[in-house]
């Protein structure tokens, strides 16, 4: 009796199953390309990567005025308005008050302020809870990222008194 065919099927099945397991455990990612709004030339990229129950965010932004700038995920994935008002308010699926990223109570979309150097460049790395890289109730895909002209004061309601919206980008899955 020839055992070569059953062995070949078993090897192929094992390869297929390990391939599926790799696909299922891959960390979903998304990205937003920032474009200037409110008459600015601000640009940049924001990347999102699911890591277990947390989302890792990395941002690189250029063309800012030196200093701090509010930085948030907004509800709508629409940056078409010249002032980015089409992005609507902060992403807040938990219906919580605005606050500092990392505090017990804050919008899911509240991120740390960007800090631009003397050349107008800012980098940010943050780990976010209350979010997922997906399209569900807590998902960021299909929403937008907004950079503001002024720093977020983390107290003023509903949005931290961050001033005009100087850049916006729609978050898209990769």
């Amino acid at each position: 009796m020839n055992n070569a065919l059953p062995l070949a099927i078993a090897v192929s099945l094992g390869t297929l199953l390990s391939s599926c397991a790799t696909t299922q455990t891959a960390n979903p990612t998304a990205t937003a390309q920032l474009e200037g709004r409110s008459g600015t030339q601000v640009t940049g990229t924001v990347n999102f990567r699911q890591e277990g129950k947390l989302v890792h965010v990395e941002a690189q932004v250029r063309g800012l005025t030196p200093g701090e700038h509010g930085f948030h995920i907004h509800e709508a994935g629409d940056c078409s308005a010249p002032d980015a008002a089409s992005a609507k308010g902060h992403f807040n699926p938990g219906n919580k008050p605005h606050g500092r990223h990392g505090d017990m109570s804050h919008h899911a979309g509240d991120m740390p302020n960007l800090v631009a150097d003397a050349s107008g460049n800012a980098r940010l790395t943050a780990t976010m809870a209350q979010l997922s890289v997906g399209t569900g109730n807590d998902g960021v895909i299909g929403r937008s990222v907004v950079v503001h002209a002024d720093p977020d004061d983390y107290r003023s309601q509903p949005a931290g008194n961050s001033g005009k919206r100087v850049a916006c980008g729609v978050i898209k899955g990769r």
Side-chain angles (χ1 to χ4, degrees), residues 17-36:
L17 290 174
S18 70
S19 171
C20 289
T22 302
T23 302
Q24 291 172 350
T25 60
N27 295 344
T29 61
T31 191
Q33 295 299 317
L34 297 171
E35 296 180 1

Side-chain angles (χ1 to χ4, degrees), residues 8-9 13 18 25-27 39 58 64 68 76 79 86-87 90 97 104 109 125 130 134 145 148 150 153-154 161 163:
I9 291 171
L13 183 58
S18 70
T25 60
N27 295 344
E58 292 183 358
L64 294 165
E68 292 188 51
C79 295
S86 52
H90 292 184
M104 289 298 293
T125 300
Q130 306 176 32
V145 178
H148 294 267
D150 301 320
D153 67 15
Y154 303 116
N161 198 30

Side-chain angles (χ1 to χ4, degrees), residues 19-166:
S19 171
C20 289
T22 302
T23 302
Q24 291 172 350
T25 60
N27 295 344
T29 61
T31 191
Q33 295 299 317
L34 297 171
E35 296 180 1
R37 292 292 180 264
S38 302
T40 74
Q41 299 299 313
V42 177
T43 60
T45 303
V46 184
N47 292 305
F48 299 85
R49 183 178 65 251
Q50 189 78 45
E51 294 182 356
K53 294 184 179 187
L54 301 173
V55 173
H56 184 73
V57 181
E58 292 183 358
Q60 294 184 357
V61 184
R62 298 167 297 286
L64 294 165
T65 57
E68 292 188 51
H69 299 270
F71 186 51
H72 309 103
I73 298 169
H74 281 245
E75 185 67 31
D78 182 354
C79 295
S80 61
D83 64 355
S86 52
K88 298 187 180 177
H90 292 184
F91 179 47
N92 187 17
N95 198 30
K96 296 182 178 181
H98 176 69
R100 183 182 302 273
H101 163 74
D103 284 355
M104 289 298 293
S105 187
H106 63 88
H107 298 156
D110 290 339
M111 293 193 279
N113 283 335
L114 290 171
V115 181
D117 63 19
S119 299
N121 299 315
R123 288 179 168 249
L124 176 113
T125 300
T127 302
M128 309 281 293
Q130 306 176 32
L131 300 174
S132 71
V133 178
T135 57
N137 186 51
D138 64 350
V140 297
I141 294 174
R143 306 201 185 281
S144 60
V145 178
V146 173
V147 179
H148 294 267
D150 301 320
D152 186 330
D153 67 15
Y154 303 116
R155 291 181 309 276
S156 300
Q157 299 300 321
N161 198 30
S162 298
K164 67 183 178 179
R165 300 169 183 198
V166 297

